[in-house]
Amino acid sequence: MFQSKISGLGYYVPNNIVTNDDLSKVMDTNDEWIKERTGIEQRRHVEAHDTTTSMGVEAAKVAIERAGIQKEDIDFVIFATLSPDLYFPGPGVMVQKELGLRTVGALDVRNQCSGFLYALSVGDQFIKTGMYKNILIIGSETHSRGLDMSTRGRGVSVIFGDGAGAAILSRSEEEGTGLLSTHLHAQGEHAEELALMAPGMGNRWVSDIVRENDPNDVSYYPHMNGQFVFKNAVVRFSEVINEGLKANNLTVEDIDLLVPHQANLRISQYIQHKFNLTDDQVFNNIQRYGNTTAASIPIALTEAWEQGKIKKGDTIVLAAFGSGFTWASAIIKW
Ligand code: UT7
């Protein structure tokens, strides 16, 4: 069996900064409410030239360079997103084309906030078996083009932001380091508590017809039962972090840095207190980017690394919860 490690990280966010005050000009909301309930101060929204694929490509270029490999060295692409440019094909193949990769395989992962960790886990299995040596993993989201930016959608639209993060997962020769384990979960019974109902082959045609005659049809906008999601998130985050620690005979005292999916600053703070971690042990950047779903962990991990918060030998815990419901964790010895 081989081991995998993250050998390069990168991110890209659009230049367009949208503050809470900017949002209050188009819907009935305010800076105080958003900061108090979510911790978010600003987020990025795509400009005309940005797409989920293009942002993923930019993040990938940085990660490839930092990994010290050439694009020819990439054996496989995994792309996690809930906001692909096209309904099909997914953005994995577009990245393969845009970067001019060999005709390597390209896989799209549909696990929303947990998407990057699901992708990391899939990549890890391919490296462990010896099938691939370098895998490009991307999480990228364009939320802003699909949100209800009226007061009706304010419970969802103030939270989400656009951006992309990427990692190169490579074969490692160093025993006991790298990606130690990943832990994946799902509970489909709550699928519709955080979902986009259309377009989808389930009701796309019905929605089209309804929408033509009914301006109140919201099936094309994401729906979130915020409080229900919040309550489940804090429980599942805790469970899956504990599961990861236990699987590696580690305890909370061993955590050097927790990089949680940036869902809501209140969720991160709840977990921080529950695990008795200091401010330095939990990395948050939701204040500046909002919730970027599959992109949030790779963007945060990249920033933490760039800021020198990750050192060789550190134990890093990644954890996510979101639509599906799906939740996951990864334990890394850097
Ligand atoms: O990453 C995927 C996972 N997602 C999450 O983890 C999100 C989890 N949930 C949350 O973060 C929170 O539930 C929210 C931030 C989405 C909402 O916060 P909340 O404290 O649960 O607020 P609420 O939905 O219960 O709404 C409270 C009030 C309502 O008004 P009334 O009925 O009390 O008069 C809302 O209409 O706040 C109102 N409200 C707003 N007011 C100003 C909802 N959104 C806004 C807004 N600005 N943007």
Side-chain angles (χ1 to χ4, degrees):
M1 285 273 265
F2 297 97
Q3 310 238 102
S4 63
K5 67 166 185 191
I6 291 177
S7 59
L9 286 164
Y11 77 95
Y12 171 92
V13 288
N15 288 324
N16 180 24
I17 297 174
V18 177
T19 65
N20 295 342
D21 286 339
D22 291 334
L23 292 179
S24 71
K25 289 176 193 139
V26 295
M27 64 181 81
D28 181 11
T29 189
N30 57 78
D31 181 52
E32 196 188 356
W33 190 97
I34 301 172
K35 272 209 290 239
E36 154 98 25
R37 309 276 177 140
T38 70
I40 299 166
E41 293 165 22
Q42 59 184 49
R43 73 288 293 140
R44 306 295 177 108
H45 282 180
V46 285
E47 297 181 292
H49 61 269
D50 293 313
T51 66
T52 295
T53 300
S54 75
M55 293 191 292
V57 165
E58 292 310 313
K61 285 179 187 166
V62 179
I64 292 168
E65 197 195 327
R66 286 176 173 168
I69 60 168
Q70 306 298 315
K71 63 184 185 184
E72 292 72 28
D73 299 323
I74 292 172
D75 302 314
F76 195 58
V77 178
I78 311 179
F79 201 123
T81 188
L82 62 68
S83 49
D85 300 354
L86 307 181
Y87 190 82
F88 74 82
V93 294
M94 296 185 191
V95 164
Q96 185 264 339
K97 175 189 149 212
E98 293 298 324
L99 284 175
L101 306 180
R102 294 178 288 116
T103 55
V104 298
L107 177 71
D108 298 292
V109 164
R110 298 284 312 268
N111 291 86
Q112 298 70 247
C113 303
S114 311
F116 184 79
L117 295 188
Y118 267 72
L120 204 60
S121 183
V122 171
D124 187 35
Q125 313 314 313
F126 281 125
I127 301 255
K128 274 188 178 138
T129 56
M131 184 158 172
Y132 298 131
K133 278 189 184 162
N134 293 299
I135 300 178
L136 169 60
I137 300 176
I138 297 172
S140 179
E141 304 287 3
T142 306
H143 284 298
S144 61
R145 289 194 179 115
L147 297 172
D148 180 355
M149 298 303 276
S150 71
T151 297
R152 183 179 62 182
R154 66 183 181 175
V156 172
S157 48
V158 302
I159 296 168
F160 293 101
D162 303 337
I168 302 294
L169 197 65
S170 300
R171 183 188 289 181
S172 163
E173 311 294 338
E174 276 181 79
E175 277 282 314
T177 65
L179 193 48
L180 301 183
S181 65
T182 53
H183 308 269
L184 310 180
H185 294 279
Q187 190 177 18
E189 94 186 75
H190 299 314
E192 294 186 10
E193 302 293 348
L194 177 45
L196 180 65
M197 304 307 285
M201 293 309 162
N203 62 3
R204 176 159 69 145
W205 311 115
V206 175
S207 293
D208 279 345
I209 294 159
V210 171
R211 199 174 203 207
E212 247 170 58
N213 304 312
D214 179 6
N216 295 322
D217 175 25
V218 290
S219 61
Y220 279 81
Y221 294 121
H223 160 76
M224 177 166 73
N225 182 351
Q227 293 201 359
F228 186 74
V229 174
F230 194 106
K231 284 177 193 151
N232 278 268
V234 291
V235 173
R236 298 307 193 185
F237 262 109
S238 305
E239 276 178 13
V240 82
I241 291 168
N242 277 326
E243 182 184 347
L245 292 173
K246 196 166 167 221
N248 294 286
N249 292 320
L250 297 170
T251 67
V252 174
E253 280 73 48
D254 296 307
I255 299 177
D256 290 299
L257 190 68
L258 168 66
V259 182
H261 160 55
Q262 303 291 292
N264 180 324
L265 191 60
R266 307 290 159 247
I267 295 177
S268 295
Q269 288 170 337
Y270 178 93
I271 301 300
Q272 177 178 336
H273 290 133
K274 184 157 185 194
F275 285 89
N276 212 9
L277 299 169
T278 64
D279 287 352
D280 281 347
Q281 287 173 292
V282 184
F283 189 83
N284 289 303
N285 62 6
I286 190 170
Q287 300 91 328
R288 289 177 288 117
Y289 300 128
N291 178 341
T292 58
T293 313
S296 98
I297 287 184
I299 294 175
L301 194 60
T302 307
E303 281 203 335
W305 178 81
E306 286 176 352
Q307 292 170 20
K309 292 181 189 294
I310 300 177
K311 296 176 294 300
K312 180 119 186 83
D314 279 356
T315 299
I316 312 294
V317 176
L318 311 179
F321 174 88
S323 164
F325 291 155
T326 59
W327 61 102
S329 66
I331 312 291
I332 301 172
K333 187 89 173 158
W334 205 264

